[in-house]
Amino acid sequence: MNRYDRYIRILSGVVGVLAAIYGAALLFDPETVNARNASFTWLEKKQADQADRIELSGAEGAVTLVRKEGVWFSSRNNTEYPAKQMRINDFLNILTAKGRYPVRGTSAASFERFGLAEGKASRAVIRGGLSEHPLLDLLIGGTDGAGREIYLRSSGGTEVRSGEDKISAYIDGSPTAWFDLRLFPESLQAESVQRLTVYAPPSEEEPAPAPLVFARQDGGWTVTGVPEADTQRVESYIRSILEAEGADFLEDTRIGDRAGSLLLELGNGQTRAVRIGSLTESNQRNAEVEGSSFKYVLAEWTVNRLFRNGSYFARQ
């Protein structure tokens, strides 16, 4: 071996040793270790796919969501109501997404300080599969001083983690936020409505209002009592009816005395009808939709959107 080859071998060895030292330094560097430990997920994707029951308890009450044949429902008083599928999927995606959740404490003595004591924290329990144990039992505590991160831990565990607060809105919001309260399915489009008859509820100004009839004609709309209708306003109004939502489901079997209605006639010959009840003590009205087994509570502003004065549709 000549002198040149010997130098090359010595230099290669030195480079190898330096590389090993550098690699070890990266591996055991405190910042690197913390970053590696901070990367965390609360629920595996395959577990979320098995989920068929979600139990939430937060600031505004408890919610139970159940999945049957791939469709989620919100259960209340032994009745299953339509639930917002996308909202539930988004919630599960937050739990399955890997994120930065650094450890902030590892002793039971810290639970109270982080708002994670049993019985005081909000909670999300995910169940599914054949096991009697939950897939996830997550406690949700308080936020940090800046209000950007929230403290969490698994029930029964001692490890407290913090992370960006993406979950509080789901846990601590109103239980009705999980209900799909649309009066009509999303598949029903404004283009399919050919005729609309509106019987507005009586009021002090109009004790017996005449019905408004909207009909498509030559690419526009005609409205009874309106010499020239504003097509854009009529079409926007039709869309607002189809997108209308209740404030809650009505658990009573009756909506009260009938006080108004809307009848939609579709291009395929089918009809859809909404019947409105008399004004309640809470200044709301109840409603029922033809073909649906559910009844709805309507807020005052929703009723005002459903029933417009004929002059509103006149071209300016």
Side-chain angles (χ1 to χ4, degrees), residues 12 17 28 39 57 119 122 171 199 221 239-240 251-252 268 282:
S12 298
V17 171
F28 296 105
S39 182
S57 57
S122 297
I171 303 295
Y199 297 88
W221 287 89
R239 286 193 296 272
S240 72
E251 297 189 18
D252 199 348
N268 59 7
S282 56

Side-chain angles (χ1 to χ4, degrees), residues 25-40 99-106 159-162:
L26 287 179
L27 183 63
F28 296 105
D29 178 70
E31 290 188 8
T32 304
V33 172
N34 288 340
R36 189 164 58 247
N37 290 339
S39 182
F40 188 78
R100 186 178 181 280
Y101 293 98
V103 176
R104 301 302 188 187
T106 56
E159 199 171 69
V160 175
R161 291 178 178 266
S162 71

Side-chain angles (χ1 to χ4, degrees), residues 255 257-261 274-278 285-287 298 306-307:
I255 65 169
D257 296 333
R258 179 171 170 175
S261 65
V274 180
R275 287 174 284 276
I276 308 294
S278 54
R285 293 183 188 271
N286 302 325
L298 302 184
L306 293 177
F307 298 100

Side-chain angles (χ1 to χ4, degrees), residues 46-63:
K46 62 182 180 181
Q47 291 179 309
D49 293 339
Q50 298 171 4
D52 55 24
R53 185 179 178 90
I54 301 174
E55 300 162 6
L56 307 176
S57 57
E60 294 197 30
V63 176

